Structure formats: C-alpha cells, structure tokens
Amino acid sequence: MSSVRLLVGTRKGGFVLTSDGKRQDWKVEGPFFAGWEIYHMKGSPVDPDRIWASQSSGWSGQVLQRSDDGGKTWNVAGNKFLYEGEAGTHQWYDGTPHPWEFKRVWHLEPSLSCADTVYAGVEDAAMFKTTDGGTTWNELPGLRKHGTGKDWQPGAGGMCLHSIVIDPTDEQRMFIAISAAGAFRTDDGGGTWKPINKGLHSKYIPNPTAEVGHCVHHIAMHPSKPKTLFMQKHWDVMRTDDAGENWSKVSGNLPTDFGFVIDVHAHEPETIFVVPIKSDSEHFPMEGQLKVFRSKTGGNEWEPLSRGLPQKDCYVNVLRDAMSVDRMDECGIYFGTTGGQVYASPDGGENWQAIVRDLPAVLSVEVQTLP
Amino acid sequence: MVRVELPAHLCRLAGVGHEVTVAVDASPVTIAAVLEVLEHDYPALEGTIREHETKQRRAWLRFFVCEEDWSHIGMDAVLPPAIVSGKQPLLVIGAIAGG
C-alpha cells in the first residue's frame, strides 16, 4: 500500500509526519533543527528520499539542510547566497530606494528531472539554482535585473520570492511569484523573465493595473494543464489559461477573497482549494470559523468545507506555502495553521481531522506520495 | 589551543558540545583568526557567525573576551594571553531577543 509523508516547516523547527494510505493514524517525528525557523521543506520528485530544508534564524542567518534518507538524518549543504554583480536597489516601504539584501530562503523547488538540481526563492527577491546537490548556489540574475526590479516593494512579510512552479512538459518554462512585485515567467530556464500580471487589479498601489507591484500570495498549477495557473492574490483569486498572458478574477461567491494558500486537486485540474481569510488587517477566518472553500469549476462557484474543522473561536492564519495535496487515488488535502495544527482530509476535502494540534506556528506543508 | 564557547543553536548545528577547541597557528591571534580555523574545522558554521562576503559579525551575535564585550572592538584586535593560552574561552553569545 502507498504511504504519505508530510514535511512541515514551523517557526521553531521541522517535522516529518507519516501515515499509510488510509491517512488516519500518523507518526510525528521532530522537531528537526529545533529552535530555527524552517520556512520550507520539499522532497525531490526524482528521488523522494532526498529532502531539502530551509533553516534560518535572526541570530545566525541561512542554513540549508539536505537529507538523503527520507528525513531520518540530515547534512548541512551550502548556504552562500550571493547576488551576482551589483545588488542595486528596490523600493522600501516608504517608496525610497533600498539596497537588495539577502535574508532567507522562502521556497525550495527541486527539479523534476535531476535530483541534484534545485531552485531557491529568496528574500530579498531573487532566484538561485544549484546543480551540484546544494554545495553551491548561483543566482539567476535575469530576474532581479529585469528592468522593473527598482519598482519592486516588500509586502508585510518582506520582499520574498515565495512561489516557483515548473512546467512539467518543458522545464525551461517556470513561473514564479514575488510579494510585492507580481508573477513572472521564464521560457529559457531562468535566463530571461517576463512579468505576467495583465488582468491583475490591485487597488492599494498607485496604478492598480501596473505591470509590476502586485502582492501575489501564491500560485498553483495542475501538471496536466500547464498553461492554466491559479493565483491567490492579496485580495482576489485569479486564473490564467494562457500561461499568464491574461488573468481573470474567479473569486465568485467566496465570502472574502483575501487569503494566502491555493492548491489544485491531484486528479481534477479544475478543482481548486483556498482558505479565505477575513482581511489584510485581520489575518484569521471569518466569524471564528475555519473553512476550506472548494471550486470544482476552476473558480467562481465555491462551496465551504468545514466537517471536522473548528467552527467556533478559531483565529488562526494559514500561510502561503502551508497547503499541499497528495496523489493517492482519493486525493488528500493538507494544511497547517499559525496555531500549530495540521489538518488532513483523506477524501478531497469532505472530512477533516487535526493530525497534530500543538506544533509551533506552521510556515509550510508539503506532502510526498510514496510507493 | 583556543577555547570557544558557542550558543546552543550553533552547537547543535555543528554537532559539538558547549565548547570547542581550535588550534590557531596565526600570529597574532585575533577573533578573525580564531573564526577562520573554527569555520575550517566545522564548515557548518560558515556564514552563521560572520557574513560570508563581508566577514562582518552577524548583528545578533556578540563576542566576549575576559568578561569584556569585544563585539565592537573589531575582528582584527589581538586577543589577550588568557584567551590565546586557553585559560579562558572566547565567548560567542546570541543576543537576548525574541521576547
């Protein structure tokens, strides 16, 4: 029987949760790297036992960890992330120029075809790549040096490159998202980049339809439809069907379209999930009721899913990288909260259970479906 | 041999106890020279006490030498005999922060 392995990054360490295919009983291991912030952990699709973890702290900066045995043991990888050439400036919160400064790795995206190749999205926003298993990291400077870089501005969480999506039919094509710059696409493996924000409307920036400056929170794709992307923006849930050339709003009947996570069902490319959050100043569910919303129509028509989720006095947040789906026959959905709970639904969102309740604040959740 | 005491999170990272000893051949012996050997012996610590490129002390770590705060004295200041001889440890301390 297949099994699943959840990789959970938290404010104070990483955790590995495992279960068999029923996904009812869970074994919790950790904390790994206790006391450090683990922004993201992700396994290689080529070698699932190779897992990467981004470990950081205000005291000692960035560390990269690599496991080659499914998270049982870990080894320190290279942590030298140096911008190529002159770092330059971006906009600060007050609109003044501010030097680019490396702070941390937000997201690690392993290559779909090579276990030694991984992409890293970092703060201040840039993309790095290793091709030697994490020993050395080199910037893909075409993104940061894109002509609009001086106009990028940090969101409340910093100016982070938090989403990396690789086209499974053409690994030279990748999509990334930056808060607050927007979404970008490369068609040449990261050499050159194009802003893909047409159709986004952000009322909180001077030009609501600007080429860049949008606070994109997360993007997701189903591998069978690589030209279709779904986006949770600061406000608005969006979709594109032409690889980002044009976006349209699909918030539909959502009670609020602010939020952070968005993901796509493993077997139904038009079934998507979000967790609506009340507003940008009140980062918790509406009326204290935690609900996942599902659309089976690729947006616009949404239904609440709450069976097993707290429906009273719940004021947690669900951060942008804290939702994931498995590839079991009946798709499992997982998400973690800032209150330390990790919820799982083994049946596509119909029923939920907390598989662990009292972790540190959850920053990221990734799931691996194992043979 | 120079003794170096590390904060707990760096001990775990490097897989060492509270204190390590390093053989510093450089003369004179400075904090920079001690860190050079420390990072050579424990590569996991590279970039965690001082920045990779600038070699500046990370802002939330401090150095104490014979009960004095040397954090702002400079990495190239010559360490006193008590540190060089191993009679007293060089302390690397994490700033009290985080509430």
Side-chain angles (χ1 to χ4, degrees):
Chain A
M1 175 188 272
S2 299
S3 62
V4 293
R5 180 161 59 207
L6 277 188
L7 310 172
V8 180
T10 80
R11 286 274 180 217
K12 292 293 178 185
F15 295 82
V16 177
L17 285 57
T18 49
S19 179
D20 62 20
K22 293 180 182 173
R23 295 159 290 177
Q24 296 296 328
D25 299 315
W26 291 84
K27 178 183 176 187
V28 179
E29 294 174 280
F32 299 98
F33 331 117
W36 294 70
E37 292 182 314
I38 306 301
Y39 265 63
H40 196 220
M41 302 167 75
K42 192 156 189 179
S44 164
V46 181
D47 175 4
D49 277 344
R50 176 166 290 185
I51 300 172
W52 302 87
S54 171
Q55 171 184 1
S56 63
S57 85
W59 289 270
S60 287
Q62 181 68 48
V63 174
L64 246 295
Q65 297 275 357
R66 184 181 116 181
S67 173
D68 290 322
D69 57 9
K72 295 183 182 68
T73 61
W74 295 85
N75 292 296
V76 175
N79 65 345
K80 193 181 281 187
F81 291 88
L82 302 178
Y83 296 118
E84 188 177 293
E86 184 70 27
T89 61
H90 58 80
Q91 279 194 45
W92 196 230
Y93 293 99
D94 60 3
T96 58
H98 190 81
W100 235 277
E101 295 170 339
F102 175 82
K103 295 185 180 65
R104 60 175 62 82
V105 173
W106 276 67
H107 184 96
L108 293 159
E109 191 64 36
S111 159
L112 304 178
S113 59
C114 173
D116 284 338
T117 296
V118 183
Y119 299 93
V122 313
E123 176 189 358
D124 283 340
M127 190 152 161
F128 285 77
K129 180 182 183 182
T130 179
T131 57
D132 59 9
T135 302
T136 59
W137 296 85
N138 294 298
E139 189 189 7
L140 300 174
L143 174 63
R144 188 173 50 81
K145 292 181 178 175
H146 181 273
T148 61
K150 63 181 175 26
D151 298 324
W152 302 357
Q153 200 166 19
M159 199 177 80
C160 51
L161 195 166
H162 50 70
S163 300
I164 302 172
V165 177
I166 303 173
D167 184 337
T169 64
D170 175 10
E171 280 203 57
Q172 295 296 296
R173 171 171 278 190
M174 292 182 281
F175 304 87
I176 62 97
I178 296 169
S179 293
F184 294 79
R185 189 186 80 211
T186 178
D187 293 326
D188 59 7
T192 59
W193 296 82
K194 171 184 181 179
I196 48 167
N197 300 304
K198 189 178 175 187
L200 305 191
H201 186 277
S202 301
K203 59 189 176 188
Y204 46 82
I205 60 177
N207 175 4
T209 58
E211 182 182 36
V212 298
H214 303 274
C215 193
V216 177
H217 284 181
H218 202 53
I219 54 176
M221 169 205 286
H222 191 277
S224 71
K225 292 181 74 174
K227 288 186 177 178
T228 297
L229 292 172
F230 298 97
M231 171 191 292
Q232 173 67 68
K233 194 161 67 66
H234 194 84
W235 295 95
D236 303 333
V237 178
M238 312 290 294
R239 73 175 287 160
T240 174
D241 292 296
D242 54 11
E245 296 294 333
N246 298 280
W247 293 87
S248 58
K249 186 174 173 178
V250 293
S251 303
N253 62 335
L254 285 171
T256 165
D257 61 6
F258 187 89
F260 292 94
V261 294
I262 188 163
D263 217 332
V264 188
H265 192 286
H267 312 304
E268 301 170 12
E270 290 295 319
T271 297
I272 53 178
F273 302 87
V274 296
V275 179
I277 296 296
K278 184 174 179 183
S279 72
D280 48 4
S281 61
E282 297 175 74
H283 281 186
F284 42 72
M286 297 182 76
E287 300 171 342
Q289 300 176 336
L290 183 56
K291 295 177 181 175
V292 175
F293 275 69
R294 178 177 64 194
S295 171
K296 292 188 171 184
T297 54
N300 286 320
E301 298 164 31
W302 298 87
E303 57 180 327
L305 306 168
S306 61
R307 196 175 299 141
L309 297 175
Q311 296 305 295
K312 183 183 175 189
D313 303 329
C314 180
Y315 292 94
V316 298
N317 195 3
V318 181
L319 300 178
R320 70 188 82 226
D321 235 351
M323 178 179 265
S324 189
V325 300
D326 70 29
R327 291 183 285 104
M328 302 291 282
D329 288 344
E330 193 162 23
C331 177
I333 325 292
Y334 308 85
F335 69 93
T337 78
T338 54
Q341 301 86 32
V342 177
Y343 292 100
S345 168
D347 54 8
E350 297 296 331
N351 294 282
W352 297 87
Q353 65 161 331
I355 56 178
V356 61
R357 297 205 70 95
D358 298 304
L359 299 184
V362 174
L363 300 174
S364 61
V365 173
E366 293 286 352
V367 60
Q368 296 178 284
T369 308
L370 305 173
Chain B
M1 299 291 275
V2 175
R3 297 159 55 203
V4 183
E5 283 192 14
L6 296 168
H9 70 279
L10 292 184
C11 294
R12 285 195 296 272
L13 179 65
V16 298
H18 184 52
E19 181 178 299
V20 297
T21 57
V22 292
V24 184
D25 293 330
S27 180
V29 177
T30 63
I31 291 178
V34 172
L35 294 180
E36 201 70 36
V37 179
L38 183 71
E39 291 171 354
H40 176 270
D41 291 353
Y42 303 98
L45 298 176
E46 284 184 47
T48 64
I49 298 173
R50 52 182 185 167
E51 302 280 356
H52 276 295
E53 197 161 52
T54 65
K55 302 296 184 187
Q56 294 295 303
R57 171 182 57 85
R58 296 192 60 85
W60 290 13
L61 293 180
R62 302 186 79 89
F63 302 130
F64 278 78
V65 173
C66 299
E67 299 185 355
E68 290 182 1
D69 185 353
W70 276 43
S71 304
H72 299 290
I73 289 179
M75 297 271 203
D76 294 325
V78 178
L79 289 165
I83 299 290
V84 176
S85 67
K87 186 177 177 184
Q88 293 213 35
L90 167 66
L91 305 183
V92 179
I93 293 178
I96 305 300

PDB file of all heavy atoms in Angstrom, chain A residues 131-150:
ATOM      1  N   THR A 131      23.173  22.999  -9.059  1.00  0.00           N
ATOM      2  CA  THR A 131      23.179  21.815  -9.931  1.00  0.00           C
ATOM      3  C   THR A 131      24.126  20.755  -9.374  1.00  0.00           C
ATOM      4  O   THR A 131      24.377  19.745 -10.035  1.00  0.00           O
ATOM      5  CB  THR A 131      23.618  22.195 -11.362  1.00  0.00           C
ATOM      6  OG1 THR A 131      24.898  22.813 -11.313  1.00  0.00           O
ATOM      7  CG2 THR A 131      22.613  23.122 -12.011  1.00  0.00           C
ATOM      8  N   ASP A 132      24.641  20.994  -8.163  1.00  0.00           N
ATOM      9  CA  ASP A 132      25.585  20.046  -7.575  1.00  0.00           C
ATOM     10  C   ASP A 132      25.110  19.538  -6.221  1.00  0.00           C
ATOM     11  O   ASP A 132      25.896  19.312  -5.306  1.00  0.00           O
ATOM     12  CB  ASP A 132      26.982  20.677  -7.474  1.00  0.00           C
ATOM     13  CG  ASP A 132      26.982  21.944  -6.622  1.00  0.00           C
ATOM     14  OD1 ASP A 132      25.955  22.233  -5.976  1.00  0.00           O
ATOM     15  OD2 ASP A 132      28.015  22.636  -6.608  1.00  0.00           O
ATOM     16  N   GLY A 133      23.798  19.399  -6.102  1.00  0.00           N
ATOM     17  CA  GLY A 133      23.266  18.830  -4.869  1.00  0.00           C
ATOM     18  C   GLY A 133      23.322  19.757  -3.674  1.00  0.00           C
ATOM     19  O   GLY A 133      23.318  19.292  -2.538  1.00  0.00           O
ATOM     20  N   GLY A 134      23.373  21.055  -3.939  1.00  0.00           N
ATOM     21  CA  GLY A 134      23.295  22.013  -2.845  1.00  0.00           C
ATOM     22  C   GLY A 134      24.623  22.507  -2.325  1.00  0.00           C
ATOM     23  O   GLY A 134      24.657  23.301  -1.382  1.00  0.00           O
ATOM     24  N   THR A 135      25.717  22.070  -2.920  1.00  0.00           N
ATOM     25  CA  THR A 135      27.021  22.550  -2.454  1.00  0.00           C
ATOM     26  C   THR A 135      27.196  24.024  -2.786  1.00  0.00           C
ATOM     27  O   THR A 135      27.615  24.820  -1.936  1.00  0.00           O
ATOM     28  CB  THR A 135      28.156  21.728  -3.097  1.00  0.00           C
ATOM     29  OG1 THR A 135      27.952  20.350  -2.768  1.00  0.00           O
ATOM     30  CG2 THR A 135      29.521  22.179  -2.570  1.00  0.00           C
ATOM     31  N   THR A 136      26.881  24.388  -4.027  1.00  0.00           N
ATOM     32  CA  THR A 136      26.999  25.795  -4.428  1.00  0.00           C
ATOM     33  C   THR A 136      25.683  26.264  -5.024  1.00  0.00           C
ATOM     34  O   THR A 136      24.938  25.487  -5.637  1.00  0.00           O
ATOM     35  CB  THR A 136      28.114  25.990  -5.471  1.00  0.00           C
ATOM     36  OG1 THR A 136      27.827  25.182  -6.623  1.00  0.00           O
ATOM     37  CG2 THR A 136      29.472  25.593  -4.913  1.00  0.00           C
ATOM     38  N   TRP A 137      25.417  27.537  -4.835  1.00  0.00           N
ATOM     39  CA  TRP A 137      24.196  28.166  -5.344  1.00  0.00           C
ATOM     40  C   TRP A 137      24.573  29.376  -6.173  1.00  0.00           C
ATOM     41  O   TRP A 137      25.416  30.185  -5.749  1.00  0.00           O
ATOM     42  CB  TRP A 137      23.304  28.600  -4.177  1.00  0.00           C
ATOM     43  CG  TRP A 137      22.809  27.455  -3.356  1.00  0.00           C
ATOM     44  CD1 TRP A 137      23.462  26.852  -2.319  1.00  0.00           C
ATOM     45  CD2 TRP A 137      21.573  26.754  -3.508  1.00  0.00           C
ATOM     46  NE1 TRP A 137      22.696  25.823  -1.813  1.00  0.00           N
ATOM     47  CE2 TRP A 137      21.529  25.747  -2.521  1.00  0.00           C
ATOM     48  CE3 TRP A 137      20.494  26.889  -4.376  1.00  0.00           C
ATOM     49  CZ2 TRP A 137      20.453  24.871  -2.394  1.00  0.00           C
ATOM     50  CZ3 TRP A 137      19.417  26.023  -4.243  1.00  0.00           C
ATOM     51  CH2 TRP A 137      19.400  25.021  -3.251  1.00  0.00           C
ATOM     52  N   ASN A 138      23.974  29.498  -7.330  1.00  0.00           N
ATOM     53  CA  ASN A 138      24.229  30.638  -8.196  1.00  0.00           C
ATOM     54  C   ASN A 138      22.925  31.337  -8.537  1.00  0.00           C
ATOM     55  O   ASN A 138      21.910  30.685  -8.815  1.00  0.00           O
ATOM     56  CB  ASN A 138      24.925  30.190  -9.491  1.00  0.00           C
ATOM     57  CG  ASN A 138      26.316  29.655  -9.212  1.00  0.00           C
ATOM     58  OD1 ASN A 138      27.186  30.373  -8.725  1.00  0.00           O
ATOM     59  ND2 ASN A 138      26.520  28.380  -9.484  1.00  0.00           N
ATOM     60  N   GLU A 139      22.982  32.655  -8.514  1.00  0.00           N
ATOM     61  CA  GLU A 139      21.782  33.411  -8.838  1.00  0.00           C
ATOM     62  C   GLU A 139      21.452  33.306 -10.327  1.00  0.00           C
ATOM     63  O   GLU A 139      22.353  33.192 -11.165  1.00  0.00           O
ATOM     64  CB  GLU A 139      21.968  34.889  -8.467  1.00  0.00           C
ATOM     65  CG  GLU A 139      20.652  35.657  -8.597  1.00  0.00           C
ATOM     66  CD  GLU A 139      20.801  37.165  -8.465  1.00  0.00           C
ATOM     67  OE1 GLU A 139      21.928  37.669  -8.393  1.00  0.00           O
ATOM     68  OE2 GLU A 139      19.746  37.843  -8.474  1.00  0.00           O
ATOM     69  N   LEU A 140      20.151  33.325 -10.628  1.00  0.00           N
ATOM     70  CA  LEU A 140      19.685  33.522 -11.996  1.00  0.00           C
ATOM     71  C   LEU A 140      19.363  35.013 -12.096  1.00  0.00           C
ATOM     72  O   LEU A 140      18.239  35.446 -11.813  1.00  0.00           O
ATOM     73  CB  LEU A 140      18.444  32.665 -12.269  1.00  0.00           C
ATOM     74  CG  LEU A 140      18.651  31.156 -12.110  1.00  0.00           C
ATOM     75  CD1 LEU A 140      17.334  30.397 -12.269  1.00  0.00           C
ATOM     76  CD2 LEU A 140      19.671  30.635 -13.108  1.00  0.00           C
ATOM     77  N   PRO A 141      20.367  35.814 -12.444  1.00  0.00           N
ATOM     78  CA  PRO A 141      20.234  37.267 -12.242  1.00  0.00           C
ATOM     79  C   PRO A 141      19.290  37.951 -13.206  1.00  0.00           C
ATOM     80  O   PRO A 141      18.913  39.111 -12.992  1.00  0.00           O
ATOM     81  CB  PRO A 141      21.670  37.766 -12.436  1.00  0.00           C
ATOM     82  CG  PRO A 141      22.291  36.766 -13.349  1.00  0.00           C
ATOM     83  CD  PRO A 141      21.668  35.447 -12.999  1.00  0.00           C
ATOM     84  N   GLY A 142      18.896  37.253 -14.260  1.00  0.00           N
ATOM     85  CA  GLY A 142      17.998  37.878 -15.218  1.00  0.00           C
ATOM     86  C   GLY A 142      16.682  38.318 -14.594  1.00  0.00           C
ATOM     87  O   GLY A 142      16.039  39.256 -15.083  1.00  0.00           O
ATOM     88  N   LEU A 143      16.287  37.664 -13.521  1.00  0.00           N
ATOM     89  CA  LEU A 143      15.038  38.047 -12.863  1.00  0.00           C
ATOM     90  C   LEU A 143      15.201  39.355 -12.093  1.00  0.00           C
ATOM     91  O   LEU A 143      14.480  40.322 -12.301  1.00  0.00           O
ATOM     92  CB  LEU A 143      14.591  36.928 -11.922  1.00  0.00           C
ATOM     93  CG  LEU A 143      13.379  37.248 -11.059  1.00  0.00           C
ATOM     94  CD1 LEU A 143      12.149  37.501 -11.918  1.00  0.00           C
ATOM     95  CD2 LEU A 143      13.100  36.120 -10.074  1.00  0.00           C
ATOM     96  N   ARG A 144      16.185  39.381 -11.198  1.00  0.00           N
ATOM     97  CA  ARG A 144      16.378  40.582 -10.364  1.00  0.00           C
ATOM     98  C   ARG A 144      16.778  41.787 -11.205  1.00  0.00           C
ATOM     99  O   ARG A 144      16.445  42.928 -10.872  1.00  0.00           O
ATOM    100  CB  ARG A 144      17.439  40.288  -9.305  1.00  0.00           C
ATOM    101  CG  ARG A 144      17.603  41.361  -8.256  1.00  0.00           C
ATOM    102  CD  ARG A 144      18.544  40.900  -7.165  1.00  0.00           C
ATOM    103  NE  ARG A 144      19.779  40.359  -7.682  1.00  0.00           N
ATOM    104  CZ  ARG A 144      20.817  41.099  -8.071  1.00  0.00           C
ATOM    105  NH1 ARG A 144      20.782  42.400  -7.966  1.00  0.00           N
ATOM    106  NH2 ARG A 144      21.911  40.523  -8.542  1.00  0.00           N
ATOM    107  N   LYS A 145      17.489  41.501 -12.284  1.00  0.00           N
ATOM    108  CA  LYS A 145      17.939  42.610 -13.128  1.00  0.00           C
ATOM    109  C   LYS A 145      16.935  42.937 -14.237  1.00  0.00           C
ATOM    110  O   LYS A 145      17.231  43.732 -15.122  1.00  0.00           O
ATOM    111  CB  LYS A 145      19.310  42.279 -13.711  1.00  0.00           C
ATOM    112  CG  LYS A 145      20.396  42.241 -12.620  1.00  0.00           C
ATOM    113  CD  LYS A 145      21.757  41.933 -13.179  1.00  0.00           C
ATOM    114  CE  LYS A 145      22.800  41.956 -12.052  1.00  0.00           C
ATOM    115  NZ  LYS A 145      24.135  41.556 -12.510  1.00  0.00           N
ATOM    116  N   HIS A 146      15.791  42.280 -14.165  1.00  0.00           N
ATOM    117  CA  HIS A 146      14.723  42.682 -15.064  1.00  0.00           C
ATOM    118  C   HIS A 146      14.482  44.178 -14.865  1.00  0.00           C
ATOM    119  O   HIS A 146      14.571  44.677 -13.754  1.00  0.00           O
ATOM    120  CB  HIS A 146      13.451  41.888 -14.748  1.00  0.00           C
ATOM    121  CG  HIS A 146      12.308  42.220 -15.634  1.00  0.00           C
ATOM    122  ND1 HIS A 146      11.445  43.248 -15.364  1.00  0.00           N
ATOM    123  CD2 HIS A 146      11.911  41.688 -16.792  1.00  0.00           C
ATOM    124  CE1 HIS A 146      10.556  43.310 -16.333  1.00  0.00           C
ATOM    125  NE2 HIS A 146      10.810  42.379 -17.208  1.00  0.00           N
ATOM    126  N   GLY A 147      14.152  44.876 -15.892  1.00  0.00           N
ATOM    127  CA  GLY A 147      14.077  46.336 -15.821  1.00  0.00           C
ATOM    128  C   GLY A 147      13.170  46.886 -14.745  1.00  0.00           C
ATOM    129  O   GLY A 147      13.310  48.039 -14.334  1.00  0.00           O
ATOM    130  N   THR A 148      12.246  46.074 -14.232  1.00  0.00           N
ATOM    131  CA  THR A 148      11.290  46.595 -13.257  1.00  0.00           C
ATOM    132  C   THR A 148      11.760  46.435 -11.819  1.00  0.00           C
ATOM    133  O   THR A 148      11.063  46.853 -10.898  1.00  0.00           O
ATOM    134  CB  THR A 148       9.944  45.867 -13.402  1.00  0.00           C
ATOM    135  OG1 THR A 148      10.143  44.468 -13.147  1.00  0.00           O
ATOM    136  CG2 THR A 148       9.361  46.036 -14.794  1.00  0.00           C
ATOM    137  N   GLY A 149      12.915  45.817 -11.608  1.00  0.00           N
ATOM    138  CA  GLY A 149      13.354  45.491 -10.251  1.00  0.00           C
ATOM    139  C   GLY A 149      13.361  46.667  -9.302  1.00  0.00           C
ATOM    140  O   GLY A 149      13.048  46.531  -8.120  1.00  0.00           O
ATOM    141  N   LYS A 150      13.706  47.841  -9.799  1.00  0.00           N
ATOM    142  CA  LYS A 150      13.776  49.023  -8.933  1.00  0.00           C
ATOM    143  C   LYS A 150      12.396  49.421  -8.403  1.00  0.00           C
ATOM    144  O   LYS A 150      12.288  50.182  -7.443  1.00  0.00           O
ATOM    145  CB  LYS A 150      14.415  50.184  -9.681  1.00  0.00           C
ATOM    146  CG  LYS A 150      13.635  50.658 -10.891  1.00  0.00           C
ATOM    147  CD  LYS A 150      14.344  51.802 -11.585  1.00  0.00           C
ATOM    148  CE  LYS A 150      13.679  52.253 -12.873  1.00  0.00           C
ATOM    149  NZ  LYS A 150      12.269  52.031 -13.045  1.00  0.00           N
TER     150      LYS A 150
END
